[in-house]
Amino acid sequence: MKTFIFDPIDPSALQYAKEKLNVVTWTDKEIDNYSLAEAVIVRTFKMTKEVIDQMPNLKIIAKHGVGVDNIDLDYAKSKGIRVTNTPQANMHSVSELVIALALNCARKISLSQRIIEKGISKNSPVELAGFELQDKTLGLIGLGRIGSLVGHKLNAAFNMNVLVFDPYTTQSKCHEEGFTKYESLDDLLKESDIVSISVPLTKDTENLISARELSLMKKNAILINTARGKVINEQDLYHALQNGEIFGAALDVFAEEPISKDHPLLSCDNFIGTPHNGANTVDALIRMGTGAVDEIVRVMRNMKALSGIA
Ligand code: NAD
């Protein structure tokens, strides 16, 4: 199957793709000739209606990763084009980044580095005092693959009490996992020391966290978002951080990506940013690349894809 790979993928995954498929890569001249594509692998490349319309032979859009907000799903569905993703491939990488960001923010590791680079006259400066995660409360917004792993890992490591806000999950699922389901996002925000967001970007989750929600959080709480940038109102977060309304925030995702070096959040001492690095591990990159290829092979053989988005 003629497969266009629009964004760079891991070299071993690319080798795997070449063994299984007729591949056109992002460096080939042919990549601009959309009309030849029967399958595509995309990471951030936008599969808009206009792009899809230039691909009359397209049978499958294989997302390398989880979030499919760069794909016009309704239009692909209306044209009978399969859309798949690799939901299991990066969940450990993203959940580990959440934990790294929680520890970094709570112990001010990035700020410590910046301060010692400027030169210090005494150890343990008071402005670098952090807090422990041990026995604290974690609020998960979204209890899917990533949220659930974050909950289990932080509970196992630090005995954190885990609260969940996810209207699409059941009380009994939360109970089985050892977590507590909250029907009210406001209540979860009021009680959590660490709030971690793992929801898809939808019209319900856009601006889910704005000034009002931030004002409900504890003064010593940390907000972490590895989902999608537009779930948080960045301007409101900037004001909350500047005014010390919360202890800190760590974002891996931004409304506009890649994040500009002039982004106002970068001027806040209590802010940590990473450039959409959640799935950026060797382990996840190989699994996402080979997983996307496997889905195309399945569709090529008229088999059911493992993931069915559309
Ligand atoms: P998932 O589909 O397994 O889980 C998403 C959860 O969000 C589901 O349980 C769903 O019920 C819940 N949800 C949906 N709408 C909600 C709402 N309004 N309020 C509360 N909960 C809601 O997805 P996942 O694998 O856990 O990934 C979560 C998101 O993380 C993805 O959609 C993607 O956007 C993002 N992501 C980011 C990176 C990165 O590199 N930073 C990597 C992978 C995924």
Side-chain angles (χ1 to χ4, degrees), residues 65-69 87 90-91 94 97 141-148 165-169 197-202 204-205 208 225-228 252-253 276-280:
V66 179
V68 284
D69 41 282
N90 57 27
M91 57 189 188
V94 183
L97 181 69
I141 303 181
L143 187 70
R145 285 168 293 264
I146 295 168
S148 174
F165 174 75
D166 185 333
Y168 306 102
T169 198
I197 303 175
S198 306
V199 294
L201 178 63
T202 64
D204 290 338
T205 60
L208 187 66
N225 184 16
T226 58
R228 285 293 181 266
D252 184 47
V253 285
H276 208 132
N277 246 349
N280 195 10

Side-chain angles (χ1 to χ4, degrees), residues 102-250:
L103 286 167
N104 186 332
C105 217
R107 301 307 303 272
K108 303 189 178 182
I109 296 170
S110 295
L111 181 62
S112 298
Q113 171 88 15
R114 290 200 295 276
I115 285 183
I116 58 178
E117 277 170 3
K118 283 188 204 146
I120 52 166
S121 55
K122 59 175 176 40
N123 278 340
S124 315
V126 68
E127 69 269 28
L128 291 180
F131 70 85
E132 294 177 355
L133 302 190
Q134 185 67 33
D135 299 329
K136 296 277 171 30
T137 296
L138 169 69
L140 294 174
I141 303 181
L143 187 70
R145 285 168 293 264
I146 295 168
S148 174
L149 278 176
V150 170
H152 286 292
K153 289 175 181 181
L154 283 173
N155 173 261
F158 303 111
N159 194 36
M160 290 190 81
N161 174 33
V162 182
L163 315 180
V164 173
F165 174 75
D166 185 333
Y168 306 102
T169 198
T170 60
Q171 195 95 43
S172 60
K173 180 178 188 270
C174 291
H175 187 71
E176 274 164 31
E177 301 217 26
F179 306 156
T180 308
K181 179 168 156 88
Y182 272 37
E183 300 301 334
S184 152
L185 175 60
D186 289 4
D187 289 344
L188 177 139
L189 293 170
K190 284 178 199 163
E191 292 178 30
S192 301
D193 300 293
I194 307 276
V195 174
S196 174
I197 303 175
S198 306
V199 294
L201 178 63
T202 64
K203 55 182 182 344
D204 290 338
T205 60
E206 187 164 350
N207 276 320
L208 187 66
I209 304 294
S210 297
R212 194 190 73 81
E213 288 73 25
L214 289 161
S215 73
L216 297 173
M217 290 178 67
K218 292 182 181 179
K219 251 189 150 19
N220 58 352
I222 288 172
L223 178 66
I224 299 171
N225 184 16
T226 58
R228 285 293 181 266
K230 288 183 179 164
V231 175
I232 293 181
N233 182 312
E234 290 175 357
Q235 211 180 343
D236 291 351
L237 176 62
Y238 170 79
H239 290 300
L241 290 173
Q242 285 289 332
N243 298 333
E245 284 178 38
I246 60 174
F247 183 87

Side-chain angles (χ1 to χ4, degrees), residues 5 12-23 25 28 293:
I5 305 180
S12 60
L14 180 58
Q15 184 54 37
Y16 184 72
K18 285 180 175 169
E19 287 162 15
K20 307 255 173 192
L21 303 164
N22 179 3
V23 167
T25 79
D28 295 329
V293 171

Side-chain angles (χ1 to χ4, degrees), residues 1 37-40 55-61 80-83 299-300:
M1 198 175 259
E38 295 173 285
V40 297
M55 300 179 173
N57 302 311
L58 190 63
K59 291 178 186 58
I60 169 170
I61 301 169
I81 298 164
R82 297 297 315 270
V83 180
V299 167
M300 194 168 81

